[in-house]
Amino acid sequence: MLPSMTSGEKIFQWFAVILVVMMSFAMVYPFIHIASISLSTPAEALRPGIHLFPLEVSFDAYREAMQSNGIWYGFQNTIFRTTVGTALTLIVMSMAAYPLSKKYLPDRSFYMMFIILTMFFSGGLIPTYLLVKGLGLFDSRWVYIVPTLFNTFSLIILRNFFMSIPGELEDSAKMDGANDIRILFSIVIPLSKPILATVGLWSAVMHWNAWFDALIYVQDQTKIVLQVFIRRLVIENQQQELMRIIDQQKSLNAETVKAAVLMVATLPILLVYPFLQKYFIKGILVGSLKG
Amino acid sequence: MKLYYKYRYMFYLLLPAIVWYGIFSYGPLYGIQLAFKDFRIMEGISGSPWIGLDHFRTIFQASNDFPNILKNTIVISFYHIAFGFPAPILLALLFNELRFKLFKRVAQTISYLPHFLSWVVLSGLLIAILSPSSGIVNAIITFFGFEPIYFLGGKQYFRFTLVVSAIWKEIGWGSIIYLAALASVDPHLYESAVVDGAGRWKQMLHITLPMIMPTIAIMFILRIGGILDAGFDQILNLYNPVVFGVADIIDTYIYRVGIGQLQYGITTAIGLFKNVIALALVLGTNYIIKKAGQEGLI
């Protein structure tokens, strides 16, 4: 307690703390619940009431979940789109942000308008669907990457950052005979690591969590992403998936397997985001204040 | 043209972006004509015959579904805005009052967590928590002697569940922007207010809120622009045929009937209607806010 607080302020402070603790518990409990269920025996999982710690810990649900083909295809494709998609996005967006950051670019405001205008209208779901179909991207892993290459908000953030890089660095490189492309890749990009980290992380999270494009554009079950697998299992309650998993052990129940699958998909983000949150936060602050 | 040659490398770099936006942002506009055509699969988009405003006539006059989905969209959106818009602001104000730095940081980190997960995963969590048989919420409810509530399986509570769970997901992340605005308020203003004898409440009313009004205004414009969205991701993962009557919104209808039942023409028309209204709303709200003296978005 800081000594400078009056007793009125102290009471208020405790009140605020209690509210925040309650809120934090509400945020965290669902994860504890699912973690607990995933480690429970089937009988335990169905028990009504609060689930904090399973009385008997059982890893059966995880074993069964990991044996299904769907989850491995899901992981493969999700990891593919997260790594390749993010890498390509960073490359092409940097390539575009750089020229747009130069005041001397001919017709620069036209190109900016061309891009920014797209934030205010949309073709709609059906026209976009037909377009993707027409481009032959159905049932291809590239449908996860190509239509999501650019994000206008991130592009603007990148451009603004490039604009803040001192011109002298590039001028001296030009005098040494480097052309624009070399300057971009050897000088500007290495200097932009923090902002690239932010933009890259946003893209990665988007790809990791993406599910709707996989749902409508992909029928081939070997090409679905993790989120779609989870959706099939947990939400659409597709019995075949469940039956295939549960076949061997009759005692295994659907709830524990569903919970295990949810945990498997959530743990990567849970483990990673506390360390990376500063990048995300910086990003939206920079973006919104300049925006 | 000479300039284009001189800066040709720049344009090589810019080219992929222009091509991409051309194809994926402007390209779908070509398909909007389906709103005015009777789509025949065999003829494709260009070969299908024009039927003018027939789809719109059907939607507005003859449809049983459209009035209902429009109503659901607006009502749900209204609830989302009425409760979901102030929530992050209040949380930011609350966080701002905390004096224990470490506690504050940990609480903030926890509050952003649901934002980073997809609605697929969060729905999985929600379905488990809200279960009438094994979920904690109903455990508490039955402990007090009430009947278990079907949050997701009954019409009465579904919208309530939507709004509360959406707040749970976004309140933490949403508070970041407001916290930044709060942090940028000049402390001297507070100091002189204290000297003038202003208590907490007065300080908040006369300093804090007015200073963060510009931020609130911009966030509000953006929010209103999305009024016809109503949370597609969330609803598609949480709804089921039992609650279609109260939860089917424009976007879920377009997905289910358009893609699912291949009724491209009429759902494109609905989509066009939605996008035009949304644009009008953004421009309109922006105009009103500027007239009221705040800085707008555009």
Side-chain angles (χ1 to χ4, degrees), chain A residues 91-110:
Chain A
I91 293 176
V92 293
M93 288 220 293
S94 303
M95 279 167 58
Y98 184 61
L100 290 173
S101 69
K102 297 297 171 201
K103 296 212 167 81
Y104 53 73
L105 188 77
D107 297 322
R108 179 189 182 214
S109 35
F110 166 74

Side-chain angles (χ1 to χ4, degrees), chain B:
Chain B
M1 277 329 273
K2 264 183 90 172
L3 279 177
Y4 274 73
Y5 179 76
K6 177 178 177 192
Y7 294 115
R8 62 190 182 283
Y9 289 111
M10 290 302 206
F11 284 103
Y12 295 156
L13 290 173
L14 189 58
L15 192 62
I18 302 296
V19 167
W20 187 92
Y21 277 97
I23 297 180
F24 288 100
S25 287
Y26 292 96
L29 295 181
Y30 176 74
I32 287 187
Q33 57 184 292
L34 279 182
F36 306 101
K37 285 190 167 190
D38 176 22
F39 184 65
R40 308 273 168 80
I41 289 232
M42 288 299 134
E43 340 275 351
I45 298 183
S46 39
S48 299
W50 292 96
I51 55 170
L53 297 175
D54 274 3
H55 284 311
F56 292 95
R57 268 186 271 273
T58 313
I59 295 171
F60 292 115
Q61 291 165 6
S63 170
N64 287 326
D65 298 325
F66 187 70
N68 199 42
I69 62 172
L70 184 61
K71 173 168 152 243
N72 287 339
T73 305
I74 293 183
V75 169
I76 292 179
S77 225
F78 173 76
Y79 286 146
H80 274 314
I81 295 183
F83 297 103
F85 183 76
I89 302 179
L90 295 173
L91 186 65
L93 291 171
L94 187 61
F95 274 148
N96 202 39
E97 295 294 329
L98 292 177
R99 296 263 170 271
F100 305 116
K101 283 279 163 67
L102 184 61
F103 174 68
K104 180 175 168 184
R105 286 213 50 210
V106 169
Q108 280 184 268
T109 305
I110 291 179
S111 73
Y112 315 144
L113 176 57
H115 167 83
F116 285 102
L117 300 169
S118 70
W119 270 115
V120 171
V121 167
L122 290 177
S123 299
L125 296 186
L126 273 177
I127 291 173
I129 306 273
L130 297 176
S131 158
S133 48
S134 57
I136 183 182
V137 180
N138 273 312
I140 297 178
I141 291 178
T142 50
F143 176 75
F144 284 111
F146 297 104
E147 288 296 303
I149 296 182
Y150 289 81
F151 289 99
L152 295 172
K155 284 186 168 193
Q156 311 90 311
Y157 288 98
F158 191 78
R159 285 178 182 164
F160 168 78
T161 309
L162 282 181
V163 175
V164 172
S165 57
I167 292 180
W168 168 59
K169 182 178 202 270
E170 295 297 341
I171 191 175
W173 187 253
S175 72
I176 294 180
I177 285 247
Y178 297 111
L179 274 169
L182 285 170
S184 70
V185 174
D186 185 354
H188 292 123
L189 289 172
Y190 288 117
E191 284 164 27
S192 38
V194 169
V195 165
D196 286 345
R200 288 222 98 77
W201 269 129
K202 283 237 162 82
Q203 283 176 35
M204 193 160 295
L205 273 178
H206 295 283
I207 302 180
T208 316
L209 282 181
M211 289 303 287
I212 61 174
M213 255 321 150
T215 310
I216 295 183
I218 295 205
M219 299 302 287
F220 191 68
I221 296 179
L222 289 172
R223 200 61 203 268
I224 293 279
I227 200 173
L228 291 178
D229 284 332
F232 171 72
D233 265 34
Q234 178 193 27
I235 296 186
L236 196 70
N237 280 306
L238 282 176
Y239 86 163
N240 52 69
V242 175
V243 296
F244 278 175
V246 291
D248 201 14
I249 58 171
I250 294 181
D251 286 328
T252 53
Y253 184 82
I254 294 180
Y255 163 71
R256 211 174 59 250
V257 171
I259 295 190
Q261 298 176 18
L262 299 182
Q263 292 190 39
Y264 294 152
I266 199 163
T267 48
T268 305
I270 296 179
L272 179 60
F273 166 78
K274 175 181 181 257
N275 287 332
V276 167
I277 301 276
L279 185 60
L281 281 172
V282 169
L283 295 175
T285 319
N286 186 63
Y287 176 76
I288 293 178
I289 289 198
K290 275 173 129 167
K291 273 279 183 257
Q294 297 287 347
E295 255 194 59
L297 194 62
I298 310 171

